[in-house]
Amino acid sequence: FLLLLLYSFQHTSTVHVLLELFVNMLAFFESVKLANSILERSSPGTPREARLILEALNSDSPISTKQVKEAGELQGKLLESRFNKVMKELWSNMLIVAYGEIQDSSFPSLAIGSTQVLFEDLWNESATIPKQKAFQNIIKLLGPKHAFVIQMMKQGMPKVKSIR
């Protein structure tokens, strides 16, 4: 998803804008709160494997996909769909990020890391931005007709009064 947002900025080479968008996306998704509740085991409905993976990535990032599966106790073909489901939850809440490749056996493997560890300053900054303010900032950066903004409005984000 974030790649799609970055692609929409192909005409803009300003790293500052992308970092501002990233911080506001973290704030919008309340990633810091969610990560804390997963790690404190106070997030109902969150799979145990998500906590195991997040703990492993917070102690050592980035690691290979194979190591992530081991950390979450999700190795093997039978657990592949469970692994994908857990990873989707972590990806979509911006708790984890891709961070290059790691040579794993004969093929390179995606290096996965904790957003909190790899982008600590941005992570901490996002914790200071209220969700509604983050959404206003995202609209300023992307524009009100961007697919992400439209989707969030459909999902019940309140209308923003003024964007200056």
Side-chain angles (χ1 to χ4, degrees):
F1 174 74
L2 197 54
L3 290 176
L4 292 173
L5 288 174
L6 294 177
Y7 180 76
S8 70
F9 274 97
Q10 67 182 351
H11 61 279
T12 305
S13 61
T14 308
V15 173
H16 175 73
V17 172
L18 296 175
L19 292 176
E20 187 177 347
L21 179 61
F22 185 69
V23 168
N24 282 284
M25 296 284 288
L26 286 170
F28 175 76
F29 288 116
E30 297 179 309
S31 300
V32 173
K33 279 186 199 175
L34 181 58
N36 290 337
S37 69
I38 290 171
L39 294 171
E40 294 166 3
R41 301 176 187 175
S42 62
S43 181
T46 299
R48 176 184 71 84
E49 298 92 345
R51 180 182 47 79
L52 294 173
I53 290 170
L54 204 51
E55 285 174 348
L57 291 171
N58 281 346
S59 66
D60 186 21
S61 273
I63 60 177
S64 72
T65 305
K66 179 180 175 183
Q67 292 170 304
V68 171
K69 287 181 177 184
E70 289 170 3
E73 301 171 0
L74 294 167
Q75 306 103 305
K77 278 282 189 208
L78 293 175
L79 296 173
E80 190 71 27
S81 65
R82 179 78 174 156
F83 173 75
N84 290 334
K85 181 181 177 184
V86 169
M87 292 300 286
K88 182 178 179 181
E89 180 177 337
L90 296 171
W91 287 115
S92 34
N93 287 294
M94 299 182 67
L95 302 179
I96 60 174
V97 292
Y99 203 78
E101 293 180 340
I102 294 176
Q103 192 63 33
D104 197 21
S105 67
S106 58
F107 294 101
S109 174
L110 182 65
I112 301 169
S114 161
T115 308
Q116 179 179 358
V117 171
L118 297 174
F119 298 101
E120 185 176 4
D121 293 343
L122 302 176
W123 180 266
N124 292 335
E125 182 183 343
S126 76
T128 67
I129 304 169
K131 184 174 184 155
Q132 182 62 31
K133 179 65 175 163
F135 191 59
Q136 290 172 347
N137 293 341
I138 290 168
I139 292 172
K140 285 179 191 175
L141 292 165
L142 296 178
K145 299 207 184 284
H146 193 278
F148 174 79
V149 173
I150 292 168
Q151 185 63 34
M152 290 302 101
M153 291 295 215
K154 285 180 185 175
Q155 291 181 0
M157 281 306 298
K159 301 256 187 249
V160 178
K161 294 177 186 170
S162 160
I163 305 169
R164 291 187 191 142

